[in-house]
Amino acid sequence: MSQDSTTVPETSRKLSGRRRREIVAVLLFSGGPIFESSIPLSVFGIDRQDAGVPRYRLLVCAGEDVPLRTTGGLELTAPYGLEALSRAGTVVVPAWRSITQPPPAAALDALRRAHEEGARIVGLCTGAFVLAAAGLLDGRPATTHWMYAPTLAKRYPSVHVDPRELFVDDGDVLTSAGTAAGIDLCLHIVRTDHGADAAGALARRLVVPPRRSGGQERYLDRSLPEEIGADPLAEVVAWALEHLHEQFDVEALAARAYMSRRTFDRRFRSLTGSAPLQWLITQRVLQAQRLLETSDYSVDEVAGRCGFRSPVALRGHFRRQLGSSPAAYRAAYRARRPQGGAPDRGPDRLERAERLGGDRAEVLEQRPGEHAMPLRRPGGPVTHTSHHHHPPHSPHPPGGTEPGKPESDAYAPACPSRPRVAPRAVRPCPASGNAP
């Protein structure tokens, strides 16, 4: 269940008598990143009752019998071992040192035992790999950092990996995306245990939003798991990236792979963790981002050069994925990162566009030599779905490109020997058909 749900799934097991709901055990391993490791320590390990935050009792446990060295060469000493997990009502695995290494068998056994006895098990970022290795995510929805989501989906096919969410609450097993999303999940746990007032008080002390809207979509890039480089499907992926300016659908990709649509969908999902239609829409939106950042093409022209059948389709997918209209995204991007040689559009107009940030249906788009014209999406007002409008970092235009225009009309980036694509980022499109 995602962060935006108003209900929380019931836990499937009753907490055993020796465990206490207010006791939180944090399981640390050597090589873990210090930021993720410190999040549950800060949330559950500091007494903030003076601010209206109920107190938890924290047990910091070593997950293995080796020196716990974290990022930066720091060496930690955990006061407890795996035996302390037997008292905890919540067990948090803040991170795992490597997605390619199996976790220690003793730690996996302790996690299984804790879950069987009713403890709530939490995996932050790559901690989801530890939960998956213990079999606790089988048949369940889960998330992790978007960069590792395809690998998690491929290595553990019984896990329903959703790289779009900041965190997933499935009752007695919870997972989060990377780094700061661990704070979101820990606040969610406090909110579940003690209510919105307690979570809000804690968020104020941490100086973070009590509840972030949206998901990981805006942070996705074109990365793929390294294993795809030797897969025959990589050639089809490379062709798709080179021809995003053309209108083609998933049926065309399946035909190029000499597969039926059903077989292609299954193979593509097992390789990338994403459905091919969702992946294709994501790539077109990412291409639109680049054109909006590096060219003066109108939104209608950008839609055509990204393979969308109409500007309306571009605007709908763009807003669903990034929480902003294309025109507002371009204006906010240029206001934050003015590019050399770009025309001066005036501070008042840019400030207004950034203030709008997609919150209203009417945004301003001005082409060189034209008056500012209001643009309104067909169908009236647009319901805003995100409170944050910070555009994701995108690369600068390729060297040697004339300011304001891409190198070619197609502007299909040259694909390296190993193609890069994004894991699933866009929720299923309600429109029928295969093509965006």
Side-chain angles (χ1 to χ4, degrees), residues 88-412:
T90 299
V91 179
V92 182
V93 182
W96 173 238
R97 58 175 168 262
S98 172
I99 63 173
T100 62
Q101 295 183 17
L108 298 181
D109 289 339
L111 287 172
R112 295 188 194 101
R113 192 177 310 112
H115 182 250
E116 291 170 357
E117 295 178 356
R120 178 173 50 189
I121 311 298
V122 181
L124 308 183
C125 192
T126 53
F129 283 81
V130 180
L131 273 58
L136 302 182
L137 297 181
D138 290 351
R140 291 177 177 266
T143 192
T144 187
H145 192 293
W146 60 262
M147 189 168 61
Y148 306 124
T151 303
L152 182 64
K154 183 177 181 181
R155 188 168 300 161
Y156 302 99
S158 61
V159 181
H160 306 309
V161 181
D162 189 347
R164 301 169 298 178
E165 300 294 349
L166 291 177
F167 63 80
V168 172
D169 181 346
D170 196 42
D172 53 357
V173 177
L174 303 88
T175 51
S176 82
T179 314
I183 301 177
D184 296 313
L185 180 50
C186 289
L187 285 174
H188 171 75
I189 291 173
V190 174
R191 186 182 304 111
T192 301
D193 291 347
H194 301 291
D197 290 343
L202 177 57
R204 286 191 294 274
R205 290 294 290 266
L206 297 175
V207 197
V208 296
R211 186 195 296 266
R212 285 196 295 166
S213 61
Q216 297 190 77
E217 292 99 327
R218 69 191 65 193
Y219 308 109
L220 295 167
D221 71 6
R222 298 160 65 91
S223 298
L224 256 189
E226 293 185 358
E227 302 96 295
I228 194 176
D231 193 281
L233 211 60
E235 184 178 346
V236 176
V237 171
W239 181 90
L241 291 175
E242 292 282 2
H243 295 81
L244 286 175
H245 57 286
E246 301 177 8
Q247 289 187 9
F248 59 87
D249 56 17
V250 178
E251 295 286 354
L253 297 180
R256 293 192 66 87
Y258 302 101
M259 298 178 185
S260 68
R261 171 64 187 272
R262 183 175 180 179
T263 301
F264 180 79
D265 283 2
R266 184 174 64 253
R267 287 279 296 111
F268 194 97
R269 186 185 291 274
S270 68
L271 190 67
T272 68
S274 170
L277 178 58
Q278 293 171 328
W279 173 82
L280 181 58
I281 292 173
T282 299
Q283 300 314 308
R284 296 197 190 284
V285 171
L286 290 171
Q287 184 82 317
Q289 281 184 266
R290 297 183 183 95
L291 286 179
L292 291 168
E293 294 167 358
T294 62
S295 79
D296 286 325
Y297 291 132
S298 69
V299 173
D300 289 13
E301 290 173 317
V302 168
R305 293 171 186 273
C306 296
F308 287 103
R309 295 189 181 278
S310 70
V312 174
L314 166 62
R315 290 186 177 97
H317 290 302
F318 200 95
R319 183 176 291 278
R320 274 189 290 273
Q321 183 167 338
L322 297 174
S324 173
S325 71
Y329 176 87
R330 168 180 274 169
Y333 179 86
R334 290 184 175 179
R336 292 186 180 93
R337 300 185 61 184
Q339 300 183 12
D344 184 5
R345 299 175 183 267
D348 293 339
R349 181 177 176 277
L350 287 175
E351 289 174 4
R352 183 187 176 201
E354 189 164 5
R355 185 170 63 252
L356 289 173
D359 282 342
R360 289 167 48 189
E362 186 178 84
V363 295
L364 295 176
E365 182 183 79
Q366 183 176 1
R367 304 180 194 177
E370 294 182 349
H371 297 289
M373 296 295 292
L375 298 179
R376 187 179 299 275
R377 287 186 60 189
V382 177
T383 301
H384 179 53
T385 59
S386 177
H387 297 131
H388 303 277
H389 306 287
H390 304 286
H393 174 77
S394 297
H396 292 288
T401 302
E402 180 184 352
K405 290 288 183 181
E407 287 183 333
S408 67
D409 286 345
Y411 193 54

